[in-house]
Amino acid sequence: MNDAGSKLSVFSLGGINEIGKNMYVLQYGEDMIVIDCGSSFPDENLLGVDLIIQDISYLLENQDKVRALVVTHGHEDHIGGIPYFLKQLNVPIYATRLTLGLIELKLKEHGLLRGTELNLIHPDEAIELGSIRTSFFRASHSIPDCVGIAFETPEGIVVHTGDFKFDLTPVNEEYADLHKMADIGKKGVLLLLSESTNAERPGFTQSERVVGDNIADAFRKATGKIFISTFASNVHRIQQIIDAAQMTNRHVALLGRSMVNVVSVAEELGYVHLPEGMLIDAQQVNVLEPEKVVIICTGSQGEPMAALSRLSTNTFRQVSVLPGDTVILASSPIPGNEKSVSRIVDNLFQLGATVIYGSGSASGMHVSGHAFQEELKLMLTLMKPTYFIPIHGEYRMLQLHKKLAESVGVDGKNIFILNNGDVVDIQNGVASQTRRVDAGSVFVDGLGIGDVGKVVLRDRKVLAEEGMLIIVISLSKADNRLLSAPDTISRGFVYEREAEDLYKEVNQLVVSTIKEAKPSTRYRRNDLKHAVRKSVEKLLYTRTKRRPMIIPFIIEI
Ligand SMILES: [Zn+2]
Ligand SMILES: [Zn+2]
């Protein structure tokens, strides 16, 4: 039964129109539940910014209602913001075992472990969060211990899938709860929120086992030392690497801070099984015969300070890549990282290594952890929701996911393509989307000790080449109006006093770009910044034949 006047409200504070900083909120009456608290990595234009998190001012205004933060799994785009969230709002956290272990690692680094209430989710047990009965189902993904969540509200059941794929032959026999999903669907799902990462890709993903077989093959043929890089959080893949090492009688060394940390947590909790005596220190690598060693390292995305990048330029202290060694990139570059990955592969070839790499599944060393189109349809078919919100994806992915939902019978009128902050209200079975709450990006910098090197390096590189220009823009929060003339600050580009006219011109151009921007562009801050950057870039190039880094900074008042 409905409480008089109560309604169900669902919205995201991050994760829609982007992949990163996921955060979804479900509210019924006086109970508010937050799902996931991820972070995004800044693009190269954000000098000195380490991390991007959500604007949670709406939650702070309603903090007496926030009952829990429930976390679906341990990827950074789902847990990376937790320390910063807790510093603003201390609520109990609920997560499965490995996820909790990875969260604890973060809280320790931030000195927050003691003041935080951590609750272990057993996927087979339901819990009460305020008045909302909450149950879970296991899902397959590229990290163990992922769950989807079913919330039983007085309006009906709301399902959040978390990140998922359907892997019918999972590593470590971590089977997805297909029957449970079907049961939830049978009870009737009012609203489904499902991830959209691979909505562009037809067919089914391959099983993670395929990668294991290919790794084993490569290990059998390999000469010299084997270096293999992958995401530290891909615990299943790391287990398969360890299995292949055992099969070929090789010891394993771990390189990279996150690799060492994650593997030690995963081993402690029983998600990784390392045979006794197999693990060696980096210093021991050179003592053993090359054929006796596997080095698992970070840096598969070309991150300049990570182990693989430093190995490729032979600037890693204890270990070096020698002619005849084998290097495997067991990953696929995330769009935007292709160039830095190619550079690393080039360098490794120059060192005389045999390099096994390739985007997507070309090398057989990577499969995606996110459902392809047919799997997304399968989830929709199992859940048969009345209403559907595609989440966890960029705009085109959400639109394609909508099409997929329509193709399996979800009424197009009942599908909501949202922005972060758009609220869907459901009352007496009728859904409407008419209001918004505050949502946006908050930058974090200077807190991550290990990240300083990376930031400094990036700053230096760009500054050395072209200098930079910061354009400060003050916008009215209410109607996106420009509140004062833009302010331009430059470093290492042109001598400011000699370039007064140029800066005047830049400021005028910024004003006209903002005035001429479509309302939808103005509304999306990133689009607006992009428009400003593009037009100023063009002007500066025409006038000076140089391309400094241009950073539009929007202050909302
Ligand atoms: Zn994930
Ligand atoms: Zn994710």
Side-chain angles (χ1 to χ4, degrees), residues 13 54-62 88 438-439 477:
L13 293 178
Q54 311 80 1
D55 175 351
I56 60 164
S57 45
Y58 183 78
L59 297 178
L60 296 174
E61 285 159 24
N62 292 282
Q88 302 173 75
D438 277 342
K477 217 175 193 172

Side-chain angles (χ1 to χ4, degrees), residues 19-20 22 36 72-73 75-78 141 162-163 195 197 370 392:
I19 291 184
N22 287 286
D36 289 340
T72 58
H73 66 290
H75 277 151
E76 286 301 308
D77 59 326
H78 300 259
H141 187 39
D163 291 4
E195 73 129 320
T197 317
H370 298 276
H392 200 289

